[in-house]
Amino acid sequence: MSDSAKVTATLRLPSTLSAYSGGKSQITVEAETVEQLLNALHKEHPLVWERLCTEQGAIREHVRIFVNNQLISGNEGLKTILSPGQEVIVLPTTFNA
């Protein structure tokens, strides 16, 4: 893909994570896959990335990421292709005590 045709996607964060992104509830990054989106997030917003991913770069167990209302998970989920203007939604799961 040429530089003139970069795909930008918007990561929508829950309010609990916007504290780590300078108050932003939406972060727009250039990424063609979920994995690239997370890599860009690691560079631009490392505190948010730490809450979403393990040190190895895997999505944390308590984090759910949705692309086109589909839950993505595992290494296959990281390869999910993003469309231009795609919204990627992050939701933390809740635990019942």
Side-chain angles (χ1 to χ4, degrees), residues 3-52:
D3 286 342
S4 62
K6 292 270 189 200
V7 174
T8 58
T10 301
L11 180 66
R12 294 180 58 89
L13 299 172
S15 57
T16 52
L17 289 178
S18 63
Y20 302 103
S21 63
K24 295 179 186 175
S25 62
Q26 297 182 30
I27 298 171
T28 302
V29 296
E30 290 181 352
E32 295 175 25
T33 65
V34 172
E35 187 172 34
Q36 288 179 9
L37 181 143
L38 291 173
N39 288 339
L41 189 66
H42 190 209
K43 292 177 189 150
E44 297 173 30
H45 297 280
L47 294 176
V48 175
W49 182 86
E50 287 173 7
R51 271 122 194 115
L52 301 182

Side-chain angles (χ1 to χ4, degrees), residues 14-16 60-64 66 90-97:
S15 57
T16 52
R60 292 187 183 276
E61 280 186 24
H62 66 278
V63 173
R64 300 291 178 263
F66 293 87
V90 173
L91 294 174
T93 59
T94 54
F95 297 101
N96 292 331

Side-chain angles (χ1 to χ4, degrees), residues 33-36 38 57-59 72-80:
T33 65
V34 172
E35 187 172 34
Q36 288 179 9
L38 291 173
I59 298 168
I72 62 128
S73 61
N75 289 333
E76 287 304 308
L78 292 175
K79 305 288 184 229
T80 301

